Amino acid sequence: MSTDAPPAPVPVLLDVDTGIDDSLALLYACASPEVDLVAVTCAAGNVDARQVAENTRAVLALAGRPDVEVALGRETPLVRPLVTTPETHGPRGIGYATLPPARTPLSARHGADVIIEEARRRPGALTVVCVAPLTNLAVAVLRDPELPLLVGRLVIMGGSFRSPGNTAPTTEWNATVDPEAAKVVYAAFGAPEVQAQRARRGLPPRPVALGLDVTERAKLVPAHLERLAARAGCTADGTRPDGSVNAIVRYLADAMRFYMEFHGRYDGFYGAFIHDPFALAAAIDPSLVRAVPVPVDVELAGTLTTGETVADWRRAWGRPDTLDVGVEADAEAFFGRFIERVGALAAARG
Ligand code: BDR
Ligand code: CA
């Protein structure tokens, strides 16, 4: 008999703009034994930040984790007015789903302070996963310039580096909502002296950026939801054999129906790209993606391209690499895990 104990879970802080696919990332985090979810910070993006905080707490309660600290961050992008996307995620950000109002209070801490304090509490050990506009992380690094040396790993869902955009022809949503924040984060975490110091500390030198190039490989179709529901012991709309309802599966059915209809209208298939849980899964298991270093900057003043994440693949600028950009993804492995884990969580939550 093996006496090996399972590895200790990794402390993870998730920054979200919940959002349908953000809610899937929250469920995946709660369903993953490798994750110690220390806090969730809320940015404005898919919906306004207060609605994000409400959705986030409601989804954590659904997953059986109302104890996780949820903190509101900055409610507007650094410079620009906030733009939200009800056509993508529904008027409240969770599609056609409804959830009981959140009962747990919001954290008394500001989201940016949560990032700083949780990173400082465990130098070099906190994995930060950002699946929203980078406003909160930018505020955090402006408040505490040492932050890039304190975060263990930084994984960012955002940008489109070699593929078309999903917001404007060349721009991805998270980068477009707050391009100034993306620029601040890329510059702070990608600075050559930061990379050198991180390498000396045995930390990955650069953040990992997972843009549409890889997250659009995570293309969920109704058959995936059917498999998940079967794992949970119910039909795809959440009905159990005894007629009762599995709340997680019902939530997924109602939220995803909206998201799939959106993709049917704009992307030509009935299904949905589930960017954010894929990014979280790859943060937990880096073998799900192959990432390569490249210099990246953000367009702030384009006439057609503001928010574009410009990657210098041919090194025309002669600048150092700033990000490890995802170029290949194992979507099949991801879906296998997503279905097994969230299906098992749904079955266990009864
Ligand atoms: C990103 O934009 C948001 O709408 C999604 O939640 C995801 O984080 C994809 O471009
Ligand atoms: Ca998101």
Side-chain angles (χ1 to χ4, degrees), residues 249-263:
V249 175
R250 174 64 58 86
Y251 169 78
L252 289 172
D254 291 343
M256 292 308 297
R257 196 166 68 257
F258 190 98
Y259 211 27
M260 294 193 291
E261 287 173 2
F262 166 81
H263 285 79

Side-chain angles (χ1 to χ4, degrees), residues 284-308:
I284 304 168
D285 177 3
S287 77
L288 289 177
V289 289
R290 186 170 75 80
V292 295
V294 64
V296 179
D297 206 340
V298 186
E299 178 59 87
L300 298 182
T303 53
L304 303 170
T305 55
T306 300
E308 181 176 333

Side-chain angles (χ1 to χ4, degrees), residues 17 19-22 46 85 88-89 131-133 157-159 166-167 172-174 212 215 259 275-276:
D17 61 334
I20 295 172
D21 60 332
D22 305 74
N46 291 323
T85 184
T88 313
H89 294 268
V131 296
M157 189 284 125
N166 64 359
T167 304
E172 181 276 335
W173 174 256
N174 290 336
L212 302 178
T215 63
Y259 211 27
H275 314 271
D276 294 352

